[in-house]
Amino acid sequence: RDVTGVQTCALPILTLRLGRADDARQHVADARAIYEDMPEPTRQLGLAYADRNLASICGAEGDDEEAESLIRGALKVFAAQGDRTNAAHSLRVLGEIERARGNLPAASKLFQQSLDASSLYPPHTRNMAHAHHSLGLVASDLNELTEAERQYGEEIGRAHV
């Protein structure tokens, strides 16, 4: 049974959502230790997954600068390795950081880049749904309610494919 995927993706985020940031950080550290001993490119990708999760933890703790640094590093790895799914996801996470900062134009641009990257490869419908949702949030923040409604409609369409 391969538990590395669970450790690098689901477990840190779940424990973070449960309010246990210290446990989430430990799960990331455990995942990093597992990936350190793996051959390339698995090692590099695994460490990037761990960094993306650590970025989520940093963001939840209010450390946007560290979160941005980690996610930008992970994005470089995903792009270099041709991992479109995780590159698109990372662009969306960067957009969330910019939205939290109140930088709505930058957030919108990153969400659109995530959507564009996702649409290049059909299995990315889940990320496309998230990107449409995020674009809807920005439109709503800007009081562009017709556009928000359109984006939420697109999200629903993508979520049920």
Side-chain angles (χ1 to χ4, degrees):
R1 189 173 86 134
D2 178 15
V3 297
T4 52
V6 173
Q7 279 189 298
T8 58
C9 295
L11 202 50
I13 299 306
L14 174 64
T15 52
L16 178 62
R17 290 180 67 190
L18 290 170
R20 298 185 349 233
D22 289 341
D23 290 342
R25 282 181 179 278
Q26 184 59 54
H27 293 311
V28 169
D30 293 345
R32 289 186 68 79
I34 290 167
Y35 277 115
E36 282 290 348
D37 294 330
M38 293 197 166
E40 295 296 346
T42 303
R43 177 186 172 279
Q44 193 175 30
L45 284 167
L47 294 174
Y49 301 143
D51 284 349
R52 188 179 64 203
N53 282 337
L54 186 55
S56 294
I57 296 165
C58 290
E61 293 175 337
D63 189 351
D64 288 345
E65 300 226 354
E66 181 66 10
E68 181 180 8
S69 175
L70 287 163
I71 202 69
R72 285 194 185 280
L75 176 59
K76 286 179 185 175
V77 171
F78 296 139
Q81 294 294 329
D83 186 339
R84 296 181 204 160
T85 300
N86 285 297
H89 181 143
S90 298
L91 287 165
R92 188 170 46 80
V93 172
L94 283 171
E96 291 167 0
I97 292 168
E98 290 301 332
R99 182 172 177 261
R101 290 176 173 163
N103 189 351
L104 300 181
S108 183
K109 182 178 178 182
L110 288 161
F111 293 143
Q112 187 61 54
Q113 288 174 346
S114 174
L115 180 61
D116 293 344
S118 296
S119 65
L120 295 175
Y121 195 62
H124 296 179
T125 54
R126 181 175 179 200
N127 192 70
M128 290 172 75
H130 287 297
H132 281 295
H133 176 81
S134 298
L135 286 165
L137 290 172
V138 170
S140 181
D141 291 344
L142 294 169
N143 204 31
E144 296 172 359
L145 303 183
T146 301
E147 177 61 12
E149 180 180 42
R150 187 183 78 73
Q151 292 293 343
Y152 292 142
E154 288 289 329
E155 171 194 9
I156 291 168
R158 301 288 182 192
H160 298 289
V161 171

